[in-house]
Amino acid sequence: MKFTAFKIFFVAIFIAMLSSCEGYLDPGYDQTLTKSDVFSSYVYALNYVRTIYSYLPSGAFDETFMTDESKHTDEASPFLIMNNGSWTSRTYVGSWTWGHYYAGIRRVHIFLDNVDKAMFLDDNTYKLTPSVNDTLRKQLRGEARFLRAFYYFELLKRFGDPSKNLGIPIVPEKVLTINDTLDFARNKYDECVNYIVSDCDNAAAVLPVRRGGSDYGKASKAAALALKSRVLLYAASPFANPSGDVEKWKLAADAANDVIKLAAVIPVGSKSPTYKLTDKATVSNDNMLSVFTTPDNDEVLFSSPVVQSNGFEASNLPPSLGGGGQINPTQDLVDAFESLTGYPITDPKSGYNPTNPYYRRDKRLAYFIALNGSQYGVAVKDETPAQLAARTLDTYVGGKDGFNSSKNATKTGYYVRKFVDPNADIILNRKTATHFWVHFRYAEILLNYAEALAEIGNISAAYDALKLIRDRAGLATPSALKSLSKDDFLERVRNERRVELCFEGHRFWDVRRWKQGETYFNAPIHGMKITKNGTTFTYEVFKVEDRVFDSKMYAMPLPYDEMQKSKLLKQNSGWE
């Protein structure tokens, strides 16, 4: 996760090569192979399916740097232009995704066009068996359609402008050649939503409920329904649904509920549901880390493949532990965490004390964000005071990881703790971390459900869904919340989403779909300056930097190069 101008340049060149490639096969194949060779081979055909998965995002950390969640410690990072409002269709840091996801969609069409020619072996007999071929082909078609839906949604949420009913081009479901028309106009936003939902439904109808073992990381029924839930939530939100059409919110609620009902099913031979929130007892022991570091856990509906790497730790641990300290959480995010009593810190009932700001706060604050005095890693046998001090975070002025203590020292007074494996050894690499990017997890579905129900006006049921997440975190959920107005309750749901899903790539899009960009992103971000006086500390909130947001930024600009190649594409309003 080293964000440098060189990396951005390299990725841009790679994507350009990928999307302009006229060959049918991926670079890893022998260039002498034809489509017939690939799809007549059991091994090659399955490998081709794997190449379609390779277009899935492996993270969403770019988004967190462009929100009020965090600041990148490198003042020369490419996110500076995004935050100061100087970006254009030529400099938008996500421009590469246009070619990337359309390349993935092309791979889907190549596969769907040729899968009927493929022959697949029976895993038990290793023989070509007609029934196995029919079953496997149907399942693989479902995986391909799910991935197509995923890639189209990634494009739609970036480049679609529902306020003008402008989506993105839905290309013909065939393998396009240089002899075909390759210039396509944008479909209507609603058409794109319906197309993606249809792919999700078709995939869910044929895919297994859950994939585990050697199939972990492959698309499932749960993944397809989770994607449908997210798509319909976005389509019902204020940016796409300014009139507040309740029917759209009902569709979103039903889609989330379909996942919840599926998750509640207890498989034969099991004593627990198919999916559930990580147990509260487990959370108290591992700070919710298992959700992101234990493969095939019960909360994850769909994730990227498992990788053994200390890359995230090397990028984000504090400098004193050998890390780059890149993700610096903001005071604005810290303030969003409530007190243990279940009230915002701005409410007198919270008991919040600004002279002791981290006392009796939502436990997720210390789980997800490294505070002054937080400890990284795990205690060793007969740990000495010096060893304990070495893994204890000192972010106060003059502390080993405080302001100006090094080039990579925090700019906000905080470091990230979410996703960081305490067992990783980034100095000697004796122990590597287990990582995978979570695309969908059960907590998000509960939040989708709570938001949609609240928009419908069913506050009581929304409260119940919200309470499940807060109970898991050990946070009180006052019954008084049920008596709040619809708008006030919605703000509590939105804040819960902000806290629970922080750094997971949601905030950038959530604020936009809520049409709250001017409120949250057109304002300064803040940090906490801590001064040590003997054995006590004083706390002072300060402005880190100004941020800029205007109305055109609700929809991303179509890449400049794509606009130059097309006569039919229409640019989003305000962009050139």
Side-chain angles (χ1 to χ4, degrees):
M1 207 179 74
K2 184 70 173 175
F3 297 101
T4 63
F6 176 79
K7 178 179 178 183
I8 297 298
F9 173 79
F10 177 80
V11 170
I13 293 297
F14 174 75
I15 295 301
M17 293 172 60
L18 190 64
S19 42
S20 65
C21 177
E22 293 183 5
Y24 283 102
L25 306 178
D26 285 277
Y29 285 111
D30 185 329
Q31 294 299 306
T32 63
L33 290 177
T34 66
K35 281 190 295 180
S36 298
D37 293 331
V38 170
F39 289 99
S40 63
S41 164
Y42 169 74
V43 174
Y44 285 160
L46 286 182
N47 282 344
Y48 195 86
V49 177
R50 296 188 184 103
T51 69
I52 305 175
Y53 279 90
S54 69
Y55 292 86
L56 286 167
S58 58
F61 297 112
D62 285 15
E63 282 90 336
T64 193
F65 294 124
M66 299 182 287
T67 71
D68 53 2
E69 285 186 330
S70 70
K71 174 179 172 55
H72 197 293
T73 193
D74 183 359
E75 297 290 1
S77 78
F79 308 109
L80 178 64
I81 62 169
M82 298 293 293
N83 292 326
N84 67 20
S86 62
W87 49 300
T88 69
S89 63
R90 301 181 192 223
T91 57
Y92 165 47
V93 299
S95 291
W96 64 272
T97 56
W98 181 278
H100 177 79
Y101 288 122
Y102 274 115
I105 291 166
R106 175 176 168 80
R107 295 287 193 257
V108 170
H109 291 163
I110 292 172
F111 178 77
L112 292 176
D113 197 47
N114 290 276
V115 64
D116 287 341
K117 306 170 188 175
M119 297 297 291
F120 301 104
L121 298 176
D122 186 318
D123 284 341
N124 296 315
T125 65
Y126 294 100
K127 295 180 179 179
L128 297 174
T129 308
S131 62
V132 169
N133 274 272
D134 291 343
T135 301
L136 190 54
R137 282 197 195 105
K138 184 182 295 185
Q139 183 172 297
L140 291 173
R141 286 193 199 98
E143 292 181 38
R145 287 193 172 96
F146 164 77
L147 292 170
R148 181 170 65 188
F150 195 111
Y151 300 151
Y152 269 129
F153 178 64
E154 288 297 308
L155 288 164
L156 185 64
K157 77 179 184 182
R158 286 172 171 79
F159 303 106
D161 183 357
S163 68
K164 303 291 191 296
N165 201 12
L166 284 172
I168 38 90
I170 300 291
V171 299
E173 294 184 1
K174 67 173 187 176
V175 181
L176 297 171
T177 70
I178 58 175
N179 297 318
D180 290 307
T181 299
L182 300 177
D183 189 7
F184 301 103
R186 298 168 68 173
N187 288 70
K188 294 180 179 179
Y189 185 87
D190 292 341
E191 291 175 342
C192 295
V193 170
N194 292 337
Y195 186 91
I196 294 169
V197 168
S198 176
D199 261 351
C200 290
D201 286 338
N202 287 330
V206 298
L207 290 175
V209 171
R210 181 169 176 168
R211 312 294 288 273
S214 61
D215 286 333
Y216 181 70
K218 294 181 181 178
S220 65
K221 184 184 184 78
L225 293 179
L227 175 57
K228 178 181 176 180
S229 170
R230 189 182 292 178
V231 172
L232 290 176
L233 184 79
Y234 276 54
S237 297
F239 184 33
N241 182 26
S243 67
D245 184 347
V246 173
E247 293 305 313
K248 290 188 176 183
W249 282 113
K250 288 180 179 178
L251 288 174
D254 289 344
N257 195 36
D258 285 342
V259 184
I260 293 170
K261 289 187 294 185
L262 182 72
V265 174
I266 299 178
V268 176
S270 175
K271 295 182 179 179
S272 61
T274 304
Y275 293 102
K276 61 181 180 179
L277 294 175
T278 300
D279 291 339
K280 184 176 178 180
T282 304
V283 170
S284 66
N285 292 327
D286 75 355
N287 298 347
M288 286 186 67
L289 187 65
S290 63
V291 175
F292 307 101
T293 60
T294 301
D296 205 13
N297 69 75
D298 290 339
E299 185 162 339
V300 175
L301 305 173
F302 183 59
S303 79
S304 65
V306 176
V307 174
Q308 298 295 326
S309 169
N310 289 339
F312 184 83
E313 286 73 19
S315 294
N316 290 290
L317 280 173
S320 69
L321 294 176
Q326 289 183 0
I327 298 178
N328 295 175
T330 65
Q331 186 63 41
D332 310 271
L333 174 59
V334 169
D335 287 347
F337 289 83
E338 300 176 1
S339 72
L340 279 180
T341 61
Y343 290 96
I345 63 171
T346 54
D347 190 316
K349 293 189 288 293
S350 69
Y352 173 70
N353 181 359
T355 65
N356 192 7
Y358 314 126
Y359 178 65
R360 290 186 57 78
R361 296 285 295 278
D362 180 342
K363 294 178 181 178
R364 288 172 295 184
L365 173 57
Y367 292 169
F368 299 161
I369 297 175
L371 315 169
N372 183 55
S374 292
Q375 293 169 4
Y376 280 99
V378 293
V380 297
K381 185 177 181 181
D382 300 323
E383 185 174 34
T384 65
Q387 289 174 313
L388 175 61
R391 60 185 186 87
T392 299
L393 190 64
D394 296 323
T395 62
Y396 55 84
V397 176
K400 63 179 183 294
D401 288 305
F403 299 108
N404 301 319
S405 59
S406 70
K407 176 185 176 182
N408 296 325
T410 179
K411 304 299 186 295
T412 65
Y414 302 104
Y415 295 89
V416 72
R417 201 175 188 201
K418 197 175 195 179
F419 314 116
V420 173
D421 190 333
N423 295 308
D425 178 0
I426 67 171
I427 297 177
L428 300 178
N429 281 317
R430 290 171 297 188
K431 291 183 179 179
T432 56
T434 299
H435 287 293
F436 47 87
W437 181 252
V438 177
H439 297 296
F440 303 103
R441 62 185 178 102
Y442 190 54
E444 180 199 344
I445 301 302
L446 290 173
L447 288 165
N448 293 355
Y449 192 48
E451 183 178 342
L453 288 174
E455 289 280 6
I456 293 168
N458 190 346
I459 303 298
S460 179
Y463 172 92
D464 291 341
L466 196 67
K467 190 173 185 298
L468 290 173
I469 294 174
R470 293 166 68 95
D471 282 352
R472 188 265 292 275
L475 184 66
T477 310
S479 58
L481 267 63
K482 296 180 183 179
S483 302
L484 293 176
S485 68
K486 173 184 169 179
D487 289 344
D488 287 343
F489 185 84
L490 267 173
E491 285 308 308
R492 299 299 293 272
V493 173
R494 290 172 176 176
N495 191 74
E496 194 67 31
R497 190 177 181 93
R498 180 182 189 180
V499 167
E500 175 69 24
L501 302 179
C502 65
F503 312 125
E504 295 181 46
H506 291 274
R507 182 71 175 170
F508 185 87
W509 306 109
D510 282 345
V511 169
R512 283 172 165 79
R513 68 181 178 84
W514 293 329
K515 284 300 294 285
Q516 293 183 327
E518 290 87 351
T519 300
Y520 290 106
F521 295 165
N522 195 45
I525 58 168
H526 300 85
M528 180 68 84
K529 179 182 178 182
I530 305 174
T531 304
K532 187 175 183 180
N533 304 294
T535 58
T536 63
F537 298 97
T538 57
Y539 303 87
E540 177 187 355
V541 175
F542 70 98
K543 183 175 79 172
V544 174
E545 67 184 25
D546 290 311
R547 296 283 177 90
V548 175
F549 184 95
D550 62 48
S551 59
K552 71 179 182 181
M553 297 175 185
Y554 281 107
M556 305 300 104
L558 275 63
Y560 176 83
D561 289 346
E562 297 298 330
M563 295 301 300
Q564 300 310 301
K565 292 185 290 186
S566 172
K567 296 180 180 179
L568 298 179
L569 281 179
K570 182 178 180 181
Q571 183 60 278
N572 285 326
S573 297
W575 300 104
E576 296 180 356

